[in-house]
Amino acid sequence: MAPSEQTSNETDGVCHVADGGGDPLRRLTQSGASSPLGLALCPVTLKFEDVGYKVKLAQGECLPTRKLIVEKTILTGLTGIVSPGEILAMLGPSGSGKTTLLTALGGRLPGKHSGFVTYNNHPFSSSMKRRIGFVTQDDVLYAHLTVSETLTFAALLRLPDSITRAKKLEQAEHVLNQLGLSKCKNTIIGGPLLRGVSGGERKRVSIGQEMLVNPSLLLLDEPTSGLDSTTAMKILTMVKGLAKGGRTVVTTIHQPSSRLYHMFDKVVVLSEGAPIYHGQASVAMGYFAAVGFSTPVAMNPADFLLDLANGIPPSKIDSEDQGEGNSLEEQDPKLVHQLLISAYNENISPRLKAELRSTPSTPNQYSVACRSRVEEEWGTSWWEQVRVLLKRGLKERKHEAFSGLRIFQVTTVSILSGLLWWHSTISHIQDQIGLLFFYSIFWGFFPLFHAVFAFPQERAILMKEQRTSSYYRLSSYFTARTLGDLPTELALPTLFVLLSYFTGGLKPTFTNFTLTLLVILLNVLVSQGLGLALGAVLMDVKKGTTLASVITLVFLLAGGYYVQRVPSFIAWLKYVSFSYYCYKLLLGVQYGEGDVYGCGTGLCRVVDLPAVANVGVGNKGRDVGALVVMMVGYRLIAYAALRRLKVR
């Protein structure tokens, strides 16, 4: 081959391959890898040898304060090889280790595994991570975004800054057309309670998100789960076409039909975490017949393999139907399992390891070209990530933040408040103070309980996009989330104050109204920050709402309205209560040293009223500072908790 035909270069972490001439691998790569970006695939040969994985589990009570830790083997002795253009399917019953092995091959397995996994004879690295497309079994997508918006935002986040925005949008459109999603491009994704695209279309969108970066290695976990046979066939036909474009494809699948089975190039059959077969899908039946497990009737090869993986040979099923006795080997699944493992170790394992060592990887120029620059850990800049995430977040959350139910709830409460405190005057000082305290508790606890749900509901999205696929930095996500919450969280309290302030008889001046609104908005941000912190630390809605209820009750009692003579040993609680500071600031905004009200002896100063004097109306700057510290501090706690969040 001429030197000019062997050259390859890399721009922005994507390899550009020169004309392949007579190289069949290059022709395969270029035939199905074209895109509007003009980028070709970097083929990857995946090899894994003696992969094993164990986890430690707590089991039973050993001592009153300690549990017995046992080690459970999930995978053992897995070896295999997959070349560009091939589909390797992992078959096995539930719990056999298929997803664990797939996760290990994608470099996403928590902890360490034994054995070796290489990509073009190189270990897993951050540059290789950007060339792996991983499609999980559950489609983790935003329900209110359309198909087109989902792929567009993913393209803007994942493709490098050196590619223009127009080209990124063109790439998203190209993938959308390639996966046959044009007809539903403007349909929302939908969810359990929201009608959207079909299950097959949702799965194609998940695959499309990975196809945007033109991955060299595509890993799919149960891509046909929950789909009818026709839709499953369409999905796998599409995957077959992607493999023919030069990609290396590995998929787990539970119980494929015979039509699906014959589309696989290679098959790995797992039984209790151990391999019982690895080889061409078309010769699997012949291999098992050769080792003494044959079926006298025609049947789906996948069903046959799954029966064996469960320790149930076809001869046992036939004899049971005929009422005949069985040998011990046929009756005991453990003995069947041992026989299959022994046959694998004797007939397949030596040949497979020899093939692993003798089969060359893709040519060296590919492996060199496929190494992205180390500094390109993220697809785009921090500011661009914030901008895209902010726009996406506003599109998704506006349906919930400004839902008719929430607007009705806030509007109803504000109108009712205005009617209950209709034109109250300073002569009804106790009523006015009650209205101000109601402001502090309602707009302290309403946003808190709403914010507790934020991160637990987005955990799956965050794990997929930020931790496993590196769409964006965590700081970008958190900043965009914080900024995106401002218009959605501050609009409703503004509406509330507008509807209830003047009808409630509070001081009708622009200054007093503005200061009251600003205090309530600051209180909302503090309360929301506490809710975000609780949600991020606990990552459990039930636990979060329970703890939030306890905290709100404590803050309510320590707020200075219900209990005015608090014992000294517990008086410190008011200094950690944002309700206390908000209530104190609202009193300071409404009442000054010269304000008086009618009392039994004539006129009394408002600041001398026990309910006001106990809280005080001075030191407003200190109170604002305390709320600002809480607002920032709670969000820092939430961010730190998200950084420690583990993939599960």
Side-chain angles (χ1 to χ4, degrees):
M1 184 179 293
S4 61
E5 295 174 338
Q6 299 179 12
T7 60
S8 63
N9 57 72
E10 181 184 10
T11 304
D12 303 304
V14 186
C15 85
H16 299 253
V17 185
D19 182 17
D23 189 340
L25 180 57
R26 288 194 177 185
R27 289 201 304 271
L28 176 66
T29 301
Q30 293 179 336
S31 64
S34 61
S35 74
L37 305 180
L39 306 175
L41 281 174
C42 296
V44 169
T45 297
L46 173 66
K47 297 179 181 180
F48 52 99
E49 182 175 1
D50 290 329
V51 173
Y53 185 62
K54 296 180 179 180
V55 295
K56 293 182 179 180
L57 302 174
Q59 191 177 66
E61 295 288 344
C62 182
L63 292 174
T65 58
R66 298 178 63 183
K67 289 187 176 181
L68 178 65
I69 304 298
V70 297
E71 197 171 54
K72 181 179 180 181
T73 299
I74 307 298
L75 299 175
T76 178
L78 273 301
T79 300
I81 179 172
V82 200
S83 301
E86 292 181 336
I87 297 181
L88 170 67
M90 300 179 188
L91 276 72
S94 299
S96 60
K98 302 187 298 297
T99 299
T100 302
L101 177 57
L102 190 75
T103 307
L105 298 182
R108 305 182 181 206
L109 197 63
K112 294 183 179 180
H113 62 78
S114 60
F116 304 95
V117 179
T118 61
Y119 315 82
N120 289 344
N121 293 329
H122 293 281
F124 182 81
S125 62
S126 58
S127 61
M128 190 63 226
K129 180 179 179 180
R130 296 188 61 81
R131 301 194 176 280
I132 298 176
F134 196 105
V135 181
T136 59
Q137 180 177 352
D138 297 323
D139 301 313
V140 183
L141 304 167
Y142 281 113
H144 290 94
L145 297 182
T146 65
V147 171
S148 179
E149 289 171 342
T150 299
L151 294 178
T152 297
F153 285 126
L156 293 175
L157 288 170
R158 303 191 73 180
L159 295 176
D161 280 335
S162 58
I163 300 174
T164 64
R165 179 182 176 85
K167 284 292 185 181
K168 292 181 181 181
L169 298 180
E170 193 176 349
Q171 172 72 351
E173 187 69 21
H174 170 75
V175 170
L176 189 143
N177 294 329
Q178 185 182 21
L179 300 182
L181 294 169
S182 301
K183 293 183 179 180
C184 61
K185 61 184 295 184
N186 296 319
T187 305
I188 62 171
I189 298 297
L193 302 177
L194 184 65
R195 186 176 178 83
V197 297
S198 67
E201 290 166 337
R202 190 178 294 113
K203 179 61 66 177
R204 277 183 275 171
V205 173
S206 297
I207 296 174
Q209 285 185 312
E210 303 303 319
M211 293 306 302
L212 287 168
V213 294
N214 217 16
S216 306
L217 174 61
L218 184 60
L219 308 177
L220 304 104
D221 189 12
E222 301 279 4
T224 61
S225 178
L227 303 179
D228 61 83
S229 59
T230 302
T231 305
M233 187 68 183
K234 291 179 180 179
I235 292 291
L236 206 56
T237 301
M238 178 196 68
V239 172
K240 185 74 172 179
L242 297 177
K244 287 182 178 179
R247 296 175 182 84
T248 304
V249 178
V250 182
T251 180
T252 65
I253 195 160
H254 183 62
Q255 195 162 8
S257 65
S258 57
R259 290 195 303 169
L260 296 185
Y261 177 85
H262 289 295
M263 297 181 71
F264 303 139
D265 298 295
K266 292 180 178 178
V267 168
V268 171
V269 184
L270 300 180
S271 176
E272 299 179 7
I276 60 173
Y277 179 75
H278 182 293
Q280 297 296 320
S282 57
V283 300
M285 299 282 283
Y287 162 76
F288 285 109
V291 296
F293 296 94
S294 61
T295 174
V297 297
M299 63 183 301
N300 180 359
D303 294 337
F304 173 76
L305 298 180
L306 285 173
D307 286 341
L308 290 179
N310 281 297
I312 306 173
S315 55
K316 178 181 178 181
I317 299 175
D318 295 339
S319 58
E320 284 180 348
D321 292 339
Q322 299 170 9
E324 298 176 2
N326 302 309
S327 66
L328 181 60
E329 290 80 1
E330 292 175 333
Q331 291 179 347
D332 191 346
K334 292 184 178 180
L335 291 179
V336 173
H337 175 76
Q338 292 174 2
L339 288 174
L340 292 170
I341 294 294
S342 299
Y344 175 89
N345 291 332
E346 181 180 347
N347 299 292
I348 296 180
S349 184
R351 173 185 56 81
L352 190 58
K353 291 184 177 181
E355 180 186 357
L356 203 67
R357 290 171 173 78
S358 62
T359 301
S361 181
T362 49
N364 185 62
Q365 64 264 29
Y366 292 114
S367 60
V368 172
C370 284
R371 297 179 209 162
S372 301
R373 294 198 297 269
V374 175
E375 62 268 23
E376 291 179 348
E377 184 179 359
W378 308 103
T380 187
S381 67
W382 187 88
W383 284 110
E384 178 65 10
Q385 290 173 5
V386 172
R387 190 188 70 81
V388 175
L389 290 171
L390 178 59
K391 185 176 181 181
R392 187 181 72 170
L394 290 174
K395 277 183 173 291
E396 170 63 22
R397 292 196 295 276
K398 68 181 181 181
H399 301 280
E400 180 183 358
F402 297 116
S403 66
L405 185 62
R406 289 196 77 199
I407 294 175
F408 172 77
Q409 182 181 15
V410 171
T411 304
T412 301
V413 174
S414 63
I415 293 175
L416 183 61
S417 301
L419 293 176
L420 288 173
W421 279 277
W422 180 260
H423 288 177
S424 63
T425 63
I426 199 168
S427 59
H428 304 92
I429 185 66
Q430 197 62 46
D431 289 344
Q432 281 196 344
I433 292 174
L435 176 61
L436 296 176
F437 186 70
F438 175 72
Y439 276 178
S440 70
I441 60 171
F442 183 76
W443 287 110
F445 305 149
F446 183 75
L448 188 153
F449 282 96
H450 184 252
V452 165
F453 289 81
F455 292 131
Q457 288 179 338
E458 290 199 355
R459 178 191 175 109
I461 288 278
L462 188 61
M463 289 294 96
K464 170 195 170 184
E465 295 184 345
Q466 200 278 322
R467 290 297 173 85
T468 59
S469 297
S470 299
Y471 279 36
Y472 43 75
R473 301 166 179 84
L474 180 62
S475 58
S476 302
Y477 166 81
F478 193 81
T479 302
R481 175 83 206 200
T482 301
L483 295 176
D485 285 339
L486 294 180
T488 58
E489 293 297 331
L490 301 184
L492 291 180
T494 302
L495 174 64
F496 182 93
V497 177
L498 280 171
L499 293 176
S500 64
Y501 183 87
F502 297 103
T503 57
L506 300 176
K507 284 186 178 179
T509 65
F510 177 77
T511 300
N512 288 97
F513 169 79
T514 302
L515 291 176
T516 299
L517 176 61
L518 291 177
V519 170
I520 291 176
L521 294 182
L522 179 58
N523 189 52
V524 167
L525 293 178
V526 176
S527 172
Q528 183 202 32
L530 177 58
L532 293 176
L534 291 176
V537 170
L538 300 175
M539 273 298 167
D540 183 283
V541 171
K542 187 175 181 180
K543 293 179 181 178
T545 52
T546 301
L547 184 56
S549 300
V550 174
I551 292 175
T552 55
L553 288 175
V554 172
F555 286 179
L556 181 67
L557 296 175
Y561 180 78
Y562 291 116
V563 184
Q564 298 174 15
R565 296 179 182 178
V566 181
S568 58
F569 67 87
I570 202 173
W572 58 270
L573 282 175
K574 66 182 180 181
Y575 297 112
V576 297
S577 168
F578 58 81
S579 299
Y580 167 78
Y581 293 107
C582 178
Y583 174 51
K584 188 168 182 286
L585 284 171
L586 290 176
L587 290 176
V589 168
Q590 286 297 314
Y591 307 117
E593 293 290 338
D595 290 326
V596 294
Y597 69 97
C599 59
T601 58
L603 295 178
C604 300
R605 294 198 312 164
V606 173
V607 293
D608 293 331
L609 185 70
V612 178
N614 181 66
V615 177
V617 294
N619 297 317
K620 297 182 182 67
R622 185 193 64 183
D623 298 334
V624 171
L627 288 178
V628 171
V629 169
M630 289 182 183
M631 179 183 68
V632 175
Y634 287 145
R635 282 170 169 77
L636 290 177
I637 293 174
Y639 180 73
L642 291 179
R643 287 191 64 87
R644 297 181 60 186
L645 193 61
K646 295 180 180 180
V647 180
R648 62 182 180 185

